[in-house]
Amino acid sequence: MEKFSLYDLLGLLLPGVLFLHFLGILNNLFVKANIDFPDTGLDLGIYICFSLILGAILYSASFYLTQFSFYRKMLYKPTGTIFMDNHRLRNQLDKKMNEISLAWFGKNLFLPQGDESESDKEELDLLCKLREDFYDRMYYTLELSKNNEHPKTFQSFYFFFRQLVLACFILLLLSVVLYGLSCLNAQSLSKPDWGSLTAFASLIILILITSIILARWYRKRMVEKMYWFFYIYINQVNNKINE
């Protein structure tokens, strides 16, 4: 069986572990029933299973949220847009990428900035879609040839911080709901110490802001690395053919 990868660790397990840990803190604040870290093999196995389940839920939900514009603007800038905005990268890679896009899709996808601004909205939307398709095909080409390990590391960190952003939003929402219920003495909830609740909320907000910044940075680096590795891979393949 293939070993547990960094991608799985950062994309699924660790976000679930952190989310479960902070749920335990919320439980202690409002219910006063301590949830300690497991100290037996069976308990640890159950803890890991729950962490994986929660991590998988965060992973799937974060992909679902990409259909909403506010989420896309915050964390899911299109890969094609990231490439088009990087003029230093484009100056070196545009020619080769257009050769590939012409072979794959029958048209140049990476137009000069002036030419793109003159295109109508329908044409621009089509170009954006095809650039995303280009990235997907590029990604799986590198995956098949096992040449994307380094870019995939950046992708793994991006997923980690993206999942943390969603987890923080959920935790803040739960804090508000539980505090409201505790004020109404609902479900036998204890009203937490205001200082402890403020400290918890401040920590979550700090993690949220930091995770948004880091997720954006890692997504940009992920795209840059993916294009560079594909560029190098294509040149290597062409050199072998010409030998």
Side-chain angles (χ1 to χ4, degrees):
M1 185 173 65
E2 191 175 324
K3 64 181 180 179
F4 200 72
S5 67
L6 180 66
Y7 181 94
D8 299 317
L9 180 67
L10 292 173
L12 295 173
L13 182 59
L14 287 187
V17 168
L18 287 173
F19 189 47
L20 190 59
H21 173 72
F22 284 116
L23 285 177
I25 294 177
L26 269 182
N27 177 81
N28 294 337
L29 283 172
F30 288 97
V31 183
K32 304 300 183 185
N34 292 326
I35 298 180
D36 298 322
F37 192 83
D39 56 4
T40 69
L42 179 60
D43 289 340
L44 180 59
I46 294 173
Y47 187 88
I48 292 175
C49 286
F50 273 110
S51 297
L52 280 172
I53 291 170
L54 289 173
I57 292 172
L58 292 172
Y59 183 89
S60 302
S62 63
F63 273 104
Y64 172 77
L65 288 172
T66 57
Q67 63 185 297
F68 297 101
S69 59
F70 79 92
Y71 188 81
R72 294 181 69 88
K73 290 178 181 178
M74 180 173 61
L75 289 175
Y76 203 75
K77 190 174 184 179
T79 57
T81 302
I82 293 174
F83 178 79
M84 296 298 287
D85 289 343
N86 191 324
H87 300 295
R88 179 186 60 82
L89 190 64
R90 291 190 60 195
N91 287 338
Q92 301 175 75
L93 271 59
D94 260 8
K95 182 178 179 181
K96 179 62 68 174
M97 295 303 107
N98 276 321
E99 290 177 5
I100 302 300
S101 67
L102 190 62
W104 284 356
F105 301 101
K107 64 189 308 180
N108 292 336
L109 301 182
F110 308 99
L111 305 178
Q113 190 171 7
D115 293 352
E116 183 170 314
S117 62
E118 296 174 0
S119 303
D120 57 31
K121 185 178 185 305
E122 185 176 340
E123 177 66 17
L124 285 175
D125 289 342
L126 176 61
L127 284 174
C128 288
K129 179 185 180 303
L130 289 177
R131 285 171 193 149
E132 295 306 295
D133 293 341
F134 181 94
Y135 183 86
D136 289 342
R137 187 164 177 175
M138 175 177 67
Y139 177 93
Y140 289 115
T141 299
L142 291 175
E143 178 87 359
L144 184 63
S145 62
K146 301 186 184 303
N147 283 289
N148 70 338
E149 286 304 312
H150 191 63
K152 204 169 181 179
T153 298
F154 283 80
Q155 183 188 44
S156 300
F157 278 101
Y158 163 66
F159 282 147
F160 173 71
F161 290 112
R162 191 180 74 177
Q163 267 73 282
L164 277 190
V165 170
L166 178 56
C168 287
F169 276 124
I170 295 173
L171 289 167
L172 289 173
L173 179 61
L174 277 175
S175 299
V176 172
V177 171
L178 290 173
Y179 184 76
L181 290 174
S182 68
C183 290
L184 298 173
N185 295 318
Q187 303 297 322
S188 301
L189 293 175
S190 301
K191 193 171 181 179
D193 173 72
W194 181 251
S196 299
L197 183 60
T198 302
F200 174 79
S202 299
L203 176 62
I204 297 301
I205 291 172
L206 177 62
I207 294 174
L208 172 64
I209 295 172
T210 304
S211 295
I212 290 173
I213 295 170
L214 289 173
R216 288 175 173 176
W217 189 87
Y218 273 104
R219 184 166 177 82
K220 288 181 180 179
R221 299 291 86 77
M222 170 192 81
V223 171
E224 291 175 7
K225 298 293 182 183
M226 201 68 71
Y227 272 98
W228 266 119
F229 271 68
F230 183 65
Y231 174 79
I232 294 170
Y233 169 73
I234 290 298
N235 286 333
Q236 288 178 339
V237 170
N238 290 339
N239 290 337
K240 288 181 180 179
I241 292 175
N242 294 329
E243 286 179 355

